[in-house]
Amino acid sequence: MTYRRNFLKRAGYTTISALLTTGFLQKDKQNENHSIDAAMANSISGNTPLRQLAAAKGKRYGTAISSDILLKEKDYANLIARECSIATPNGELKWNATEPQPGKFTFESADAIADFCRKHKMELHGHTLFWHMAKPDWVPYPPTLKMIERHVKGVMGHYRNSPVLKSWDIANEIIADNENETDNATYGLRRGVKPELIRDLFLFAASVDSSKKFYLNDFGIEGATWKSDRFLKMIEYLKNKGVKIDGAGIQSHLWFSTAYAFDEKGFKSVLKRLNDLEVKPVITELDIIIDTPLPDSIKKLDQMVADSYKRYLDLCFAAKVDTVITWGISDRHTWIRHPDWIPGKTFRDNPQLHRFLRPLPFDENMKPKLARNAIAQAFRQAVP
Ligand code: G3I
């Protein structure tokens, strides 16, 4: 039996939705072991927490986490504590949350997450110091260097001695969605952003706290695209300037479908170029949407999501990726179902299709899905 499943683009959460990654999963003799079927799912993983399976291979598994849900929903907190060895705040470390007024910093909600991590022996990944979204109205884009310095000093300084926070997305999504949205052909930066500003941001961050890992984080780089090429050039630029940059955050908001091909070769070349640059690839925001045409049952959809996870993680682990963070843990809270963020015109126009948005490893009742087993199996099969 030969059939194709897979992946494509990326959620359109900016006003102009960007087509990002393309690729395919082909279930045939050559790569049959990437898929996960129900029988196999039942026989693997059992009750072993993902964090334990990951740790056995020197890796970490985690999720984006929201402080308000943590307080309200015990099953959510329990599941994260059980399954995860790393977390990243969904919004609590963004500029609008940490410095809502100029120079007035608040860390209550981010600290609640840091405390939870400490209690449950989890690492915290800091997201993010610089982004064109989730910023207060008084902050322009790009912010002035003075604003950046005060912000970086305030936020990084607060976590300088944190026992759990070990890494930062120093800058998030600085590469434009396409060549029409940049005034910088070489690096493809969002309009108004100069490479020197990003260099200075990283340099300043290093002067505040160089003990943490520094990442440049972006989406749409999971294949050989205009965007991934600019992203890699920007990393190369930072390295050439002698700037500390340890990791590339590959967000991995992925779309798979029967209609598109996954650019496996292109993604491998991205991973190889990162390796050549001595910058570690880190999977920072993984979730998977199955694009139309949709299968005729949720069971089949969950199978497709699981197969997609498995195939993608097999590629990542072959390139020695050691950190996988999904953007949420259960479909109950996925950003993809939030009315503001429903992705793609087809889903936006057809509310009856929203039940097919099942991008995460656990379902609405915090029960493991096939995707959870696929992640478990990928960790089990990974070469340490
Ligand atoms: O907390 C308020 C709540 O009080 C209010 O009732 C509700 C009304 O809609 O809004 C809630 O805040 C929302 C917040 O998420 C928490 O759910 C904001 O409106 C909403 O804009 C915010 O969106 C987040 C977005 O980043 C902007 O910060 C998404 O949850 C979050 O998933 C998304 O995360 C981004 C990453 O940072 C970067 N990569 C892409 C990823 C997905 O867009």
Side-chain angles (χ1 to χ4, degrees), residues 190-258:
R190 288 185 189 279
R191 274 199 198 96
V193 182
K194 300 270 177 287
E196 294 80 11
L197 184 75
I198 303 301
R199 177 201 61 196
D200 292 348
L201 161 68
F202 273 80
L203 284 173
F204 192 74
S207 77
V208 176
D209 182 9
S210 64
S211 71
K212 311 291 192 266
K213 301 283 183 211
F214 287 7
Y215 303 163
L216 183 66
N217 193 50
D218 218 320
F219 67 86
I221 52 176
E222 304 84 3
T225 60
W226 175 88
K227 191 163 175 173
S228 64
D229 192 50
R230 294 331 181 263
F231 179 79
L232 290 160
K233 284 200 176 105
M234 194 57 208
I235 289 183
E236 197 174 1
Y237 164 87
L238 292 170
K239 292 289 280 191
N240 287 340
K241 296 290 171 198
V243 165
K244 171 182 159 65
I245 171 163
D246 306 289
I250 301 174
Q251 289 189 8
S252 312
H253 295 290
L254 301 173
W255 291 59
F256 285 68
S257 89
T258 49

Side-chain angles (χ1 to χ4, degrees), residues 95 128-133 141-143 148 151-152 169-174 193 197-198 201:
W95 200 314
T128 174
L129 297 167
F130 183 98
W131 193 25
H132 63 290
M133 299 179 87
Y141 189 80
I148 291 173
H151 185 68
V152 168
D169 286 334
I170 301 294
N172 186 44
E173 302 178 8
I174 58 171
V193 182
L197 184 75
I198 303 301
L201 161 68

Side-chain angles (χ1 to χ4, degrees), residues 1-5 26-32 35:
M1 177 176 55
T2 299
Y3 60 94
R4 288 178 180 219
R5 315 196 139 144
Q26 189 175 26
K27 187 177 178 185
D28 55 18
K29 278 211 166 77
Q30 189 196 339
N31 57 33
E32 204 149 23
S35 74

Side-chain angles (χ1 to χ4, degrees), residues 101-119:
Q101 302 297 327
K104 303 252 181 299
F105 291 91
T106 60
F107 296 106
E108 207 181 317
S109 57
D111 282 352
I113 292 178
D115 285 349
F116 179 83
C117 288
R118 191 168 34 77
K119 190 165 161 206

Side-chain angles (χ1 to χ4, degrees), residues 44-97:
I44 61 166
S45 87
N47 286 321
T48 312
L50 291 176
R51 65 184 291 170
Q52 197 176 317
L53 295 172
K57 301 298 167 73
K59 299 184 191 293
R60 287 152 322 161
Y61 168 71
T63 178
I65 188 169
S66 295
S67 56
D68 54 341
I69 307 175
L70 215 47
L71 284 177
K72 283 188 290 209
E73 300 178 27
K74 197 84 192 126
D75 56 351
Y76 171 82
N78 287 343
L79 185 66
I80 292 174
R82 180 191 135 87
E83 297 287 336
C84 298
S85 46
I86 183 165
T88 188
N90 185 67
E92 290 78 353
L93 279 176
K94 290 170 184 168
W95 200 314
N96 59 356

